[in-house]
Amino acid sequence: METNLRWVALTAVAPVAWGTNYYVTHEFLPADRPLFGAAVRALPAGLVLLALCRQRPRGAWWWRSAVLGLLNVSVFFVLVYAASQLLPTSVASTVMAVSPLAMMLIAWALVSERPGISHLAGAAIGLGGVCLMLLTGVGGVSVPGVLASAAAMLVSAFGHILAKRWSTSADVLASTAWQLTAGGLFLLPVAAVAEGPPPALDTPALLAFGYVALVATALAFTAWFTGLRHLPAGTVGLVGLLNPVTGVLLGTVVAGEELTAQQLYGLALVLAGVVLGRPTRASRRGSGPPPAVNRDLPSQVRSGEGGGRHLRS
C-alpha cells in the first residue's frame, strides 16, 4: 500500500503541472499561434527525454510511437486549444472532468481492468466537485466548443490507455520521449504552412516555453505514463482531477481571484473522489494482464538490464 501511495504521489505531478500550464500559457505565450505553441511544447520535451534515455524505437514501436504521438500530442493539443478558444475555461474543464470515467471504460475494454465501485463513485463525486468549482452561471455555450472538448477528452483517454497496454514492452522514459517527439514532428510542418514563420518571442515568453516544455510536458507526461504502468487506470484518471483544483487554487494565490464557499465545497468533493480511487492491494493485483514480452527488443532489455534509466524504483 505504501508503494502504491508513492506511485499516486508521482502521478499527481502531472495534473498539478498541467493545472499551472493554463496560467502560464494564458499570461505569457502568443494566443494566435496554437500549432506553433503545441510544436514547441512537444518537440523540445521529446528531444530532452531522448537525450536522457538514449534509446530509439525498435520494431513495432516505430508505428506505435506515431500513433501515440498523434493521439496524445498532436490531435489532443490542437483540440484543447480549439476548445479553449470557443468555451469558457469552466465549461471546457468540466467536460474534461469526464475523463476518469472514460478511461475506466476504455481500460475495461483494452486492458481488462474492470472498474470497481469505489472508482465509479469517485468519478461521479469528483465530476460533481468540478461542476461546483467551475460552473458559476456561465451563459451561452458553443456547441462546436463542447464537441472539441469532448473529442479531446476521448482522444486523450483512448491514447493513454493504449499507451498503458503497450508500455509493458518498452521503457517508460523512452516511450514517452518517442511519442512526444513524433507528435512534435507531426505538428511542426503543419504549423509552418498554416501559421507562417515563428513569432518573435521576448524573454518572459522564452522562459514560459521552457517551463511548458520541460515541466508541464516532459516531466508531467513521464510521471503520468509511469503512473499508468503501475496503477489501475481508474486511480490515475481520478488523480487527474487535481488539474482543475490546481487551476482554481493558482488563480486564487497568483491572480488574486476570490475563493467562494461553493468552490470550497467543490474542492472537498474532488479530493474525496481522488481518495475513493486510491489503490488497494486487491485492486493492484487485479489491475491488468501480466506484462507481455516484446520480441522486438534485445534480450538484455527484456530481462531488465539497463533499467536504471527509467522510473521504476
Side-chain angles (χ1 to χ4, degrees):
M1 173 60 72
E2 187 175 333
T3 300
N4 286 339
L5 291 178
R6 286 201 297 267
W7 291 126
V8 169
L10 176 62
T11 306
V13 169
V16 170
W18 293 332
T20 64
N21 188 53
Y22 293 136
Y23 175 80
V24 173
T25 299
H26 180 74
E27 291 294 325
F28 301 107
L29 300 185
D32 59 343
R33 299 297 183 94
L35 295 173
F36 170 78
V40 173
R41 176 183 178 184
L43 189 55
L47 294 176
V48 167
L49 294 182
L50 275 177
L52 292 175
C53 70
R54 298 183 181 180
Q55 296 182 36
R56 62 178 178 84
R58 295 176 181 269
W61 270 102
W62 285 105
W63 65 265
R64 288 177 177 178
S65 299
V67 170
L68 294 176
L70 277 172
L71 293 173
N72 293 329
V73 181
S74 304
V75 175
F76 175 66
F77 284 2
V78 173
L79 286 172
V80 164
Y81 178 84
S84 69
Q85 294 298 314
L86 295 169
L87 291 174
T89 301
S90 58
V91 177
S93 298
T94 301
V95 175
M96 290 297 294
V98 184
S99 181
L101 181 59
M103 287 181 65
M104 291 177 205
L105 297 178
I106 295 171
W108 192 0
L110 289 185
V111 294
S112 302
E113 285 186 9
R114 183 172 182 175
I117 297 299
S118 62
H119 283 132
L120 293 173
I125 292 172
L127 177 59
V130 171
C131 291
L132 273 179
M133 280 193 303
L134 301 178
L135 294 182
T136 54
V138 176
V141 174
S142 164
V143 173
V146 171
L147 293 176
S149 188
M153 181 270 296
L154 291 173
V155 163
S156 64
F158 179 72
H160 293 165
I161 300 304
L162 201 57
K164 178 180 178 70
R165 178 174 180 174
W166 289 338
S167 68
T168 54
S169 63
D171 179 279
V172 174
L173 194 63
S175 63
T176 304
W178 300 336
Q179 58 185 291
L180 285 172
T181 303
L185 289 175
F186 286 137
L187 284 166
L188 203 57
V190 178
V193 172
E195 298 177 350
L201 300 174
D202 56 15
T203 300
L206 289 173
L207 292 174
F209 267 124
Y211 174 84
V212 167
L214 297 178
V215 177
T217 305
L219 176 63
F221 273 81
T222 302
W224 186 255
F225 289 126
T226 300
L228 277 170
R229 174 171 290 196
H230 293 277
L231 296 169
T235 297
V236 175
L238 289 172
V239 171
L241 293 175
L242 295 176
N243 185 335
V245 169
T246 303
V248 169
L249 293 178
L250 191 65
T252 302
V253 174
V254 178
E257 300 172 1
E258 183 181 354
L259 191 62
T260 66
Q262 177 177 318
Q263 288 177 315
L264 285 172
Y265 294 143
L267 279 170
L269 283 177
V270 171
L271 295 177
V274 173
V275 170
L276 272 176
R278 71 191 187 280
T280 62
R281 286 189 175 88
S283 67
R284 183 67 192 96
R285 285 195 299 269
S287 63
V293 175
N294 185 357
R295 301 299 176 184
D296 295 326
L297 295 177
S299 58
Q300 65 266 29
V301 175
R302 293 199 304 266
S303 64
E305 294 178 18
R309 289 195 297 268
H310 57 78
L311 303 175
R312 291 181 64 91
S313 59

